[in-house]
Amino acid sequence: MLRSFQVTNHGSLAEAQQLRLAKGAGGPLAVPVTAVYGVAAAGKTSVIDALAQMRDAVLNSVSGWDPYAGPVRRPHLGFADRPTEFVAGFVAEGVPYTYGFRLDNADVVAEWLYTHPRSRKRIVFERRGDEVKIGPMFEAARYGVSALAPLLRPNALLLSLAGQLYAEALVPAYRWFAANLAVQQGDIDTDALAHDLGSHISRSPDNAARLLMLLRTADLGIEDLLVAAHDPMYADYLRDMDAEIAVLAGHLDHPEQILVERELSTVRAARDALYRRMVDRRGAALSLVHEGIDVPFELADESTATRSLLRVLPAMLEALDTGQVLAVDDLGVGLPVEETDRLVQLFQNPETNSRGAQLIYTTADRALIDRGNGRSQRTRTAVWQVRRARGASELTPW
């Protein structure tokens, strides 16, 4: 669950801008759908890109950033010398957290992680430059984090290092970014699209059936999906991992639910990596059958609208199955507003969104916003608006 997100000096967002995604006293209830509306070039993409940048920093600052350069950031061009800051409030393994960090052109200036049991702030750690302070309630974590501190580069995040080296006290927050936050933005080539589709379909017959049902109801003329059988070199391993995933998924109500969820996300990630190796070796071999046409279509032959739908559906179904937060830039581009609205309703409907998944999307289509807000107070979309003012973007509630 994502409760709030704040960003300062990223893209077109110069001053601090906050997106709130929870409602009620103390914000305990997640809003299932949040729309960010604005005209072209207002700065909507900067909001989604900021989420992607924060996630990338947590997962890759240690292993993916140049150790001899400054932190990876994209400040407003008018304020390139000012720090960039990201702060997220979220719930991981049943515990509310606030995590944030501040970057300048050379180093990680500051980084902090707090928990909020019973609405009381407790420091997990605070970092200022080279100094790391462990909160008094987390003395048990002191040895593990202190052992990591000498290994930490000035341009890398402590949470990134702690998560990769499995410092127990920090793992829940790290895993939230790794397993519970997904971001879709920018163009996607047909090879990546085929990989995502094939991977989703191959995990379960139910996945293929749901995906095909949604494609048929979209009135795009699609009758069937054709996917080649698994490469024999990988088939047995994938089958065994799918069986293990099914067993773990059936034990999510176990008293040790947190440990089951950790193991499940680990096995899923390993399964995805194995599938990716198979696809790299021989391709995804995926095509679509259209009504009245004997020859299957390759993905490159499909319309922009069809590819747009094929791109977002697997990510949405994964989010609904696992309770993820999914952020999508320009949702439904190229699709009729009625079809895009049906996608949004998957998250608004408690029957299709039983695990508390959240959808955050940007749009320039006022008709989509108006449709979403014509519903009951319980299922309506929370809408935020982005406007340009004096060369920078501002985010305000609708």
Side-chain angles (χ1 to χ4, degrees):
M1 170 184 173
L2 180 61
R3 303 173 72 176
S4 64
F5 175 66
Q6 181 174 306
V7 54
T8 305
N9 197 20
H10 176 84
S12 64
L13 306 167
E15 302 299 327
Q17 306 295 324
Q18 185 179 48
L19 189 68
R20 296 187 298 276
L21 300 104
K23 60 184 178 181
L29 301 176
V31 176
V33 178
T34 300
V36 178
Y37 168 76
V39 299
K44 304 181 299 297
T45 295
S46 289
V47 177
I48 302 299
D49 189 64
L51 272 168
Q53 178 65 39
M54 186 178 193
R55 181 180 186 273
D56 177 78
V58 171
L59 301 185
N60 299 312
S61 67
V62 170
S63 58
W65 289 5
D66 185 344
Y68 302 104
V72 174
R73 69 185 192 116
R74 193 168 66 85
H76 189 289
L77 293 178
F79 306 99
D81 293 332
R82 293 186 185 177
T84 296
E85 183 175 292
F86 301 97
V87 185
F90 55 92
V91 178
E93 300 185 358
V95 178
Y97 287 91
T98 297
Y99 172 67
F101 54 88
R102 188 177 307 121
L103 314 172
D104 65 15
N105 291 326
D107 301 316
V108 176
V109 178
E111 185 182 2
W112 57 94
L113 178 66
Y114 307 135
T115 64
H116 304 272
R118 296 180 293 279
S119 300
R120 296 180 179 179
K121 173 182 166 182
R122 291 180 177 174
I123 298 171
V124 181
F125 75 83
E126 289 180 330
R127 172 188 177 190
R128 295 292 182 271
D130 296 333
E131 296 183 4
V132 178
K133 171 188 173 184
I134 306 299
M137 301 299 295
F138 290 85
E139 283 297 322
R142 181 175 299 280
Y143 174 76
V145 175
S146 298
L148 297 179
L151 306 176
L152 187 63
R153 300 195 317 266
N155 73 335
L157 297 174
L158 176 58
L159 184 62
S160 182
L161 183 62
Q164 292 181 22
L165 295 182
Y166 213 87
E168 181 65 29
L170 276 60
V171 163
Y174 175 85
R175 289 179 65 89
W176 186 87
F177 285 95
N180 287 73
L181 177 62
V183 182
Q184 274 201 353
Q185 60 177 154
D187 297 328
I188 185 170
D189 60 40
T190 54
D191 288 340
L193 179 57
H195 171 272
D196 291 346
L197 277 168
S199 179
H200 179 77
I201 292 169
S202 72
R203 289 173 197 155
S204 160
D206 289 342
N207 284 0
R210 283 189 308 169
L211 188 64
L212 188 57
M213 179 191 70
L214 291 169
L215 289 173
R216 286 173 174 169
T217 58
D219 198 25
L220 296 170
I222 297 174
E223 288 278 300
D224 204 355
L225 291 163
L226 302 179
V227 183
H230 291 325
D231 187 324
M233 182 180 295
Y234 295 88
D236 289 343
Y237 297 108
L238 288 169
R239 190 181 304 111
D240 290 345
M241 297 181 84
D242 288 336
E244 185 175 357
I245 288 170
V247 170
L248 289 169
H251 288 82
L252 287 175
D253 294 330
H254 192 274
E256 298 291 337
Q257 178 183 350
I258 290 175
L259 296 178
V260 174
E261 288 179 347
R262 285 189 183 184
E263 181 66 17
L264 183 57
S265 65
T266 299
V267 177
R268 279 176 171 155
R271 199 265 185 205
D272 289 345
L274 185 63
Y275 181 85
R276 188 176 301 111
R277 290 183 63 181
M278 182 182 75
V279 170
D280 289 343
R281 181 172 181 264
R282 63 132 205 207
L286 183 146
S287 57
L288 298 95
V289 177
H290 282 254
E291 181 181 4
I293 302 176
D294 295 333
V295 180
F297 280 38
E298 302 297 324
L299 285 175
D301 300 325
E302 295 289 348
S303 67
T304 301
T306 300
R307 288 201 300 270
S308 177
L309 184 60
L310 289 171
R311 177 193 180 191
V312 76
L313 272 179
M316 284 189 159
L317 294 174
E318 290 290 328
L320 292 167
D321 286 344
T322 61
Q324 281 184 334
V325 179
L326 174 63
V328 182
D329 191 28
D330 278 335
L331 177 67
V333 61
L335 289 173
V337 66
E338 295 81 9
E339 180 56 37
T340 307
D341 189 49
R342 276 194 287 269
L343 298 177
V344 172
Q345 288 181 53
L346 293 173
F347 287 79
Q348 292 173 325
N349 187 342
E351 293 184 4
T352 52
N353 186 9
S354 61
R355 298 191 62 80
Q358 292 172 268
L359 173 66
I360 306 165
Y361 71 90
T362 68
T363 183
D365 192 341
R366 174 66 183 268
L368 180 60
I369 298 299
D370 291 342
R371 290 177 69 93
N373 282 326
R375 304 194 175 105
S376 69
Q377 192 70 26
R378 183 172 61 86
T379 61
R380 68 183 296 173
T381 298
V383 183
W384 294 71
Q385 185 170 15
V386 178
R387 294 189 179 97
R388 281 271 190 177
R390 298 178 298 278
S393 300
E394 296 180 353
L395 183 65
T396 57
W398 183 268

